[in-house]
């Protein structure tokens, strides 16, 4: 099929790396691997985070105009019309102003992945976005939920007959297991000393900073043990966050190209990230794909992308003391860490790899097409 792809929250071509951009790109790759032709329909960003009603109305107007232009272009033969519209990540702060009207005008299936529904936003600063997002969800021929929490929320909002499908978070796992571990250690300077811990995340205020603070507090409790920390990431707090950790035991590597990350993961021994308020955390999947045991916070969908006790140890959400206790188990028992790391490779390949996701995603689209035809 020819698929029109759109991400109202953040375009897959956005200049700033993020988990959101990463998932959008992975979905496009999986759709292409399944044999479909995928074109980015628009880079219009619908996200409005301040609750500014005027700005929201302006975005809605731009969206309506862009939708009309797309329909006119496709009907006029300016470019081949799509067979299906696919929207990734919509909610009240980033509603889809394009997909529903275009799909209706062209008479094609409308599919949404990673949508959330928050009834408490039915009133207040994002009420208009909430109504638009809910209308889009009700129009969809398939709603793809990446976490059980999102699936439950959609079911509660739309009823048990809603076309909800589960697609576990996934990645192309092959590059992460490929780099030679000894060569990776030489490249990143982790061949001596250690064990080396690794944290990967944006350095910005809010939840990312909260995760870094929990991690710093946890590591301060383990100052008497032998460990070093690699921190990868960038952002407005890049000069601040490293100072939260015990002096002389942290090394920052800054902003890295995506092609550098597999080698960085393979150079470390344990991945650590409290994941405060994260939906699931792509870095946690990447770490497991590289064969690293994980210590993370039990937040959002984190427990759904690890096998607790088998590939990862999870601490109570936001609890630095418990995080330190879980990490201490791996620091004190290298054999346990090695077993979790080996299991992580298998877990990602079986449950969160690109091939499995491609097959499942293609089946969902086929189901959506049949539903739309009925």
């Amino acid at each position: 099929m020819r698929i029109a792809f759109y991400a109202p929250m953040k375009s897959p071509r956005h200049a700033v790396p993020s988990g959101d951009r990463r998932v959008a790109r992975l979905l496009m790759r999986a759709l292409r691997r399944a044999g479909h032709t995928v074109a980015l329909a628009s880079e219009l960003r619908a996200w409005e985070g301040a609750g500014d009603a005027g700005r929201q109305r302006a975005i809605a107007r731009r969206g309506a105009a862009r939708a009309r232009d797309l329909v006119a272009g496709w009907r006029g033969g300016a470019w081949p019309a799509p067979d299906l519209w696919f929207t990734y990540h919509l909610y009240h702060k980033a509603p889809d102003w394009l997909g529903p009207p275009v799909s209706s005008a062209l008479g094609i299936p409308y599919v949404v992945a990673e949508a959330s529904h928050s009834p408490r936003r039915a009133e207040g600063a994002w009420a208009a976005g909430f109504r638009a997002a809910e209308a889009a969800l009700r129009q969809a021929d398939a709603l793809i939920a990446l976490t059980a929490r999102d699936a439950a929320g959609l079911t509660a909002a739309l009823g048990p007959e809603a076309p909800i499908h589960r697609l576990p978070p996934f990645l192309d796992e092959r590059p992460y297991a490929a780099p030679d571990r000894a060569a990776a250690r030489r490249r990143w300077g982790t061949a001596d000393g250690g064990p080396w811990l690794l944290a990967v995340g944006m350095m910005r205020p809010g939840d990312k900073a909260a995760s870094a603070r929990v991690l710093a507090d946890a590591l301060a409790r383990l100052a008497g043990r032998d460990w070093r920390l690699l921190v990868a990431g960038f952002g407005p707090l890049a000069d601040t966050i490293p100072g939260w950790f015990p002096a002389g035991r942290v090394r920052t590597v800054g902003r890295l190209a995506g092609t550098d990350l597999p080698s960085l993961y393979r150079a470390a021994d344990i991945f650590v990230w409290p994941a405060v308020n994260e939906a699931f955390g792509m870095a946690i999947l990447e770490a497991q794909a590289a064969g690293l045991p994980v210590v993370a916070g039990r937040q959002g969908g984190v427990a759904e992308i690890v096998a607790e006790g088998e590939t990862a140890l999870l601490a109570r959400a936001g609890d630095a003391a418990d995080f330190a206790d879980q990490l201490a188990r791996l620091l004190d028992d290298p054999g346990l860490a090695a077993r979790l790391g080996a299991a992580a490779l298998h877990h990602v390949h079986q449950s969160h790899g690109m091939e499995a996701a491609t097959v499942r995603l293609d089946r969902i689209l086929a189901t959506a097409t049949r539903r739309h035809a009925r």
Side-chain angles (χ1 to χ4, degrees), residues 78 94 152 250 269 291:
V250 60
D269 299 294

Side-chain angles (χ1 to χ4, degrees), residues 2 68-82 106:
R2 291 186 298 272
R68 289 192 297 269
D69 290 344
L70 287 171
V71 171
W74 279 317
R75 283 179 169 169
W79 48 82
L106 298 181

Side-chain angles (χ1 to χ4, degrees), residues 144-170:
I144 302 172
L146 303 187
T147 68
R149 179 181 179 182
D150 284 348
L154 293 172
T155 300
L158 306 174
E161 300 304 315
I164 300 168
H165 305 265
R166 286 296 312 278
L167 177 68
F170 67 95

Side-chain angles (χ1 to χ4, degrees), residues 215-373:
L215 178 59
D217 291 348
L219 293 179
R221 296 169 183 267
L222 300 174
R225 285 179 168 81
D226 186 24
W227 56 265
R228 305 277 185 86
L229 175 68
L230 281 172
V231 178
F234 69 100
L237 297 182
D239 294 331
T240 302
I241 286 177
W244 296 350
F245 297 95
R249 302 179 77 169
V250 60
R251 181 190 303 166
T252 59
V253 296
R255 181 174 184 171
L256 300 177
T259 52
D260 290 324
L261 283 172
S263 175
L264 180 69
Y265 282 107
R266 295 284 286 174
D269 299 294
I270 301 170
F271 184 80
V272 290
W273 192 245
V276 172
N277 291 328
E278 292 197 12
F280 48 86
M282 284 300 298
I284 294 173
L285 274 183
E286 293 169 347
Q288 292 179 103
L292 293 187
V294 169
V295 180
R298 191 181 286 104
Q299 293 256 236
V302 170
E304 298 178 38
I305 63 170
V306 303
E308 187 170 3
E310 298 177 20
T311 71
L313 302 180
L314 300 183
R316 289 185 296 272
D319 190 330
D322 192 30
F323 197 97
D325 289 343
Q326 300 303 324
L327 178 55
R329 291 176 59 190
L330 297 187
L331 293 175
D332 294 344
D333 188 348
L336 174 62
R339 290 193 297 275
L340 264 61
L345 280 169
H346 179 73
H347 172 71
V348 168
H349 179 72
Q350 290 294 110
S351 302
H352 301 281
M354 176 62 76
E355 191 59 38
T358 297
V359 172
R360 180 171 293 193
L361 187 57
D362 195 44
R363 289 174 179 168
I364 292 171
L365 296 193
T367 300
T369 301
R370 289 194 297 270
R371 176 187 174 90
H372 183 80

Side-chain angles (χ1 to χ4, degrees), residues 8-93:
M9 173 72 180
K10 190 176 192 180
S11 169
R13 293 178 181 166
H14 197 281
V16 179
S18 67
D20 204 72
R21 188 187 77 169
R22 179 76 188 286
V23 175
R25 291 179 173 184
L26 284 167
L27 284 167
M28 295 179 77
R29 189 184 308 173
L31 291 168
R32 288 174 176 137
R33 281 174 62 96
H36 304 293
T37 300
V38 184
L40 189 62
S42 176
E43 293 192 63
L44 174 70
R45 192 176 193 195
W47 183 79
E48 197 289 310
D52 184 327
R55 187 163 184 270
Q56 291 172 38
R57 287 192 295 270
I59 293 172
R61 288 194 297 270
R62 288 199 295 273
R66 179 58 178 155
R68 289 192 297 269
D69 290 344
L70 287 171
V71 171
W74 279 317
R75 283 179 169 169
W79 48 82
D83 302 303
L84 179 143
W85 183 284
F86 192 109
T87 289
Y88 166 66
H89 201 174
L90 71 85
Y91 72 125
H92 59 274
K93 291 185 180 181

